[in-house]
C-alpha cells in the first residue's frame, strides 16, 4: 500500500517502487517479505510490550516493584492484582488495541486516497461516529454501550454516504478526500448545534466524550476491539497486493486480473469498521490514524504503507501518549485525546512543511 502525496496522481511514474523481496517457503506455500520491514515490525511489537510493562509499574497507587512483578506473573494478591491487572494493564492493552485499529484504518484510507492526509480524521468517518455518539447522549439521553452503539452506527452510515458520493469515476481516492472533507465539515456543524441545544449536563458529557479518553477502560471494552482486529487486519494484509497493483494504475491492475471496485469496497468496509470500533470505545482520538502509517512507512523505508506495521505503530503511539497524559502533570490527568492532538498537530505542520519544501505542498 502506498501513499504518494499528490492527490490526482494517476500516471505510471507515480507507481510504487517494488523492492526486492525474500520468500519464506513452507512446503507448497511461499510468503514474500522484506527483511527491513520484518525487523521494524518486530521492533515495534517489542517496544509496545516494553511500554505495557512500564505502564504496569506506574499509577496513582504506589506499589512495590516486587508486588507488581508478582501480579504480572500470576502470583499477586487480590488487591495488587486489581490495581496492576484490572486497572493498569487492562487500560494499557486497550490503548494498544485502539491505537492499532486507528493505525490500520489510517493505512487503508491513505492507500486508497494515495495521499498521507487521507485518514479517517480528515475524511469524516470519525466525525460521523462523533455525531452518532452526540445524538445518543444529547437527544436520546442514553449512556454506556448505547453511546458506543450510536458511534458505531454513525461511523458506518457516514462511510456509506461518503463512499456512495465518491464512486462513479476512475479517481476514487481524489473524490473520497474531497467529499470526505465536505461531509466532515457538515457533521461538525451538526455536532456543535447539538451541543449548544442540549442541556448543560448532557453537553458536558458529550464534550468529554468528544475529546477522547481511556479513563475507566478495562477488559470489558478491550475484547470487542480485539475481535475486530483479529478479523480485519489479516484480511487487509491479504488484500494488500491487489490494492498495491491498483496504485500502479487501473488498466494495469485490470490486466493482471484485479477487480478494482470489489477490492476497494472490501478494504473500505474493513477500514471503516476498525475506525468505528476504536471511536466507539474511546471517543474521538485524533491524529493517530493520520500519523502512524507515515511514521511506520518511514521506518520501514518502503514505498508503501503496511497494515501490520501501521497498526503496531498506532498502538505504540497511543499507549505512549496515554502514559504521558497520565504522568506528565500527575496527579492531574489529561484525556489522551489532548496529548494526541498536540503531538498530531506538530506532526501535521512538519508534514506540510516538508512537502512544501519538496515542491509538492
Amino acid at each position: 500500500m502506498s501513499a504518494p502525496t499528490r492527490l490526482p496522481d494517476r500516471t505510471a511514474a507515480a507507481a510504487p517502487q517494488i523492492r526486492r523481496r525474500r520468500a519464506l517457503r513452507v512446503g507448497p506455500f511461499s510468503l514474500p517479505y522484506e527483511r527491513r520491514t520484518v525487523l521494524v515490525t518486530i521492533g515495534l511489537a517489542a517496544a509496545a510490550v516494553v511500554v505495557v510493562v512500564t505502564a504496569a509499574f506506574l499509577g496513582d497507587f504506589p506499589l512495590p516493584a516486587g508486588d507488581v512483578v508478582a501480579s504480572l506473573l500470576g502470583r499477586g494478591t487480590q488487591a495488587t492484582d486489581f490495581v496492576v491487572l484490572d486497572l493498569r494493564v487492562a487500560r494499557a492493552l486497550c490503548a494498544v488495541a485502539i491505537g492499532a485499529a486507528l493505525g490500520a484504518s489510517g493505512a487503508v484510507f491513505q492507500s486508497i486516497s494515495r495521499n498521507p492526509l487521507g485518514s479517517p480524521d480528515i475524511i469524516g468517518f470519525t466525525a460521523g461516529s462523533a455525531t452518532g455518539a452526540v445524538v445518543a447522549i444529547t437527544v436520546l439521553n442514553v449512556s454506556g454501550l448505547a453511546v458506543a452503539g450510536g458511534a458505531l452506527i454513525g461511523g458506518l452510515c457516514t462511510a456509506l454516504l461518503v463512499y456512495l458520493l465518491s464512486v462513479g469515476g476512475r479517481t476514487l481516492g481524489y473524490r473520497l478526500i474531497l467529499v470526505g472533507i465536505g461531509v466532515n465539515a457538515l457533521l461538525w456543524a451538526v455536532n456543535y448545534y447539538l451541543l449548544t441545544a442540549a442541556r448543560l449536563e448532557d453537553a458536558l458529557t458529550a464534550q468529554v466524550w468528544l475529546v477522547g479518553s481511556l479513563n475507566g477502560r478495562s477488559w470489558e471494552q478491550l475484547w470487542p476491539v480485539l475481535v475486530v482486529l483479529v478479523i480485519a487486519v489479516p484480511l487487509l494484509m491479504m488484500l494488500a497486493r491487489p490494492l498495491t497493483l491498483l496504485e500502479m494504475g487501473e488498466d494495469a491492475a485490470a490486466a493482471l486480473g484485479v477487480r478494482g471496485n470489489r477490492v476497494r469496497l472490501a478494504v473500505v468496509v474493513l477500514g471503516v469498521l476498525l475506525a468505528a470500533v476504536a471511536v466507539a470505545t474511546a471517543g474521538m482520538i485524533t491524529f493517530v490514524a493520520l500519523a502512524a502509517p507515515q511514521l511506520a512507512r518511514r521506518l520501514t523505508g518502503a514505498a508503501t504503507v503496511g497494515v501490520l506495521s501501521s497498526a503496531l505503530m498506532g498502538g505504540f503511539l497511543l499507549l505512549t501518549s496515554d502514559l504521558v497524559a497520565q504522568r506528565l502533570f500527575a496527579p492531574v490527568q489529561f484525556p489522551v485525546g489532548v496529548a494526541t492532538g498536540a503531538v498530531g498537530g506538530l506532526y501535521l505542520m512538519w508534514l506540510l512543511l516538508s512537502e512544501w519544501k519538496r515542491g509538492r505542498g
Side-chain angles (χ1 to χ4, degrees), residues 85 89-98 216-229 277 281:
L85 301 180
V89 174
R91 174 172 176 156
L93 292 179
C94 274
V96 172
I98 293 168
R217 299 305 183 271
S218 63
W219 301 108
E220 183 180 355
Q221 288 81 32
L222 173 63
W223 301 124
V225 188
L226 277 183
V227 169
V228 173
L229 280 172
V277 75
T281 304

Side-chain angles (χ1 to χ4, degrees), residues 245-298:
L245 293 176
L246 281 172
E247 294 168 8
M248 299 174 66
E250 194 77 28
D251 295 335
L256 293 172
V258 176
R259 298 181 177 181
N261 289 333
R262 290 188 180 183
V263 173
R264 290 194 186 94
L265 180 60
V267 296
V268 164
V269 170
L270 294 172
V272 169
L273 184 61
L274 286 166
V277 75
V279 176
T281 304
M284 291 282 294
I285 296 177
T286 56
F287 287 112
V288 174
L290 174 71
Q294 291 303 312
L295 292 175
R297 184 178 69 83
R298 282 167 170 75

Side-chain angles (χ1 to χ4, degrees), residues 189-228:
V190 172
N191 292 340
Y192 292 138
Y193 170 75
L194 291 173
L195 289 177
T196 55
R199 295 185 306 163
L200 179 60
E201 295 82 1
D202 293 338
L204 289 174
T205 302
Q207 186 61 48
V208 170
W209 192 90
L210 286 175
V211 173
S213 175
L214 292 169
N215 290 340
R217 299 305 183 271
S218 63
W219 301 108
E220 183 180 355
Q221 288 81 32
L222 173 63
W223 301 124
V225 188
L226 277 183
V227 169
V228 173

Side-chain angles (χ1 to χ4, degrees), residues 21-40:
R21 291 185 172 187
R22 302 169 186 266
L24 176 63
R25 301 184 186 279
V26 180
F29 301 101
S30 176
L31 178 64
Y33 68 95
E34 295 177 359
R35 183 177 180 181
R36 179 172 171 179
T37 301
V38 172
L39 292 176
V40 169

Side-chain angles (χ1 to χ4, degrees), residues 46-217:
V49 171
V50 169
V51 182
V52 168
V53 174
T54 303
F57 287 86
L58 302 176
D60 293 334
F61 305 100
L63 291 173
D67 291 349
V68 176
V69 173
S71 289
L72 291 176
L73 296 177
R75 301 171 184 171
T77 64
Q78 184 175 3
T80 58
D81 283 351
F82 173 74
V83 173
V84 175
L85 301 180
D86 295 339
L87 296 182
R88 298 176 183 174
V89 174
R91 174 172 176 156
L93 292 179
C94 274
V96 172
I98 293 168
L102 291 173
S105 179
V108 167
F109 292 109
Q110 289 182 15
S111 179
I112 292 177
S113 63
R114 308 180 191 182
N115 194 297
L117 294 178
S119 84
D121 310 275
I122 305 296
I123 57 180
F125 297 165
T126 51
S129 295
T131 302
V134 172
V135 168
I137 295 171
T138 62
V139 178
L140 303 179
N141 295 317
V142 296
S143 61
L145 289 177
V147 176
L152 191 62
I153 294 172
L156 294 175
C157 290
T158 303
L160 179 63
L161 174 64
V162 172
Y163 185 80
L164 291 177
L165 292 175
S166 303
V167 297
R170 296 172 65 86
T171 56
L172 176 63
Y174 180 63
R175 292 164 62 90
L176 190 71
I177 286 189
L178 291 182
V179 172
I181 289 175
V183 171
N184 185 60
L186 289 174
L187 289 173
W188 276 112
V190 172
N191 292 340
Y192 292 138
Y193 170 75
L194 291 173
L195 289 177
T196 55
R199 295 185 306 163
L200 179 60
E201 295 82 1
D202 293 338
L204 289 174
T205 302
Q207 186 61 48
V208 170
W209 192 90
L210 286 175
V211 173
S213 175
L214 292 169
N215 290 340
R217 299 305 183 271

Side-chain angles (χ1 to χ4, degrees), residues 296-321:
R297 184 178 69 83
R298 282 167 170 75
L299 285 179
T300 59
T304 62
V305 288
V307 172
L308 184 58
S309 58
S310 300
L312 291 171
M313 176 61 80
F316 173 76
L317 283 180
L318 186 56
L319 176 56
T320 304
S321 299

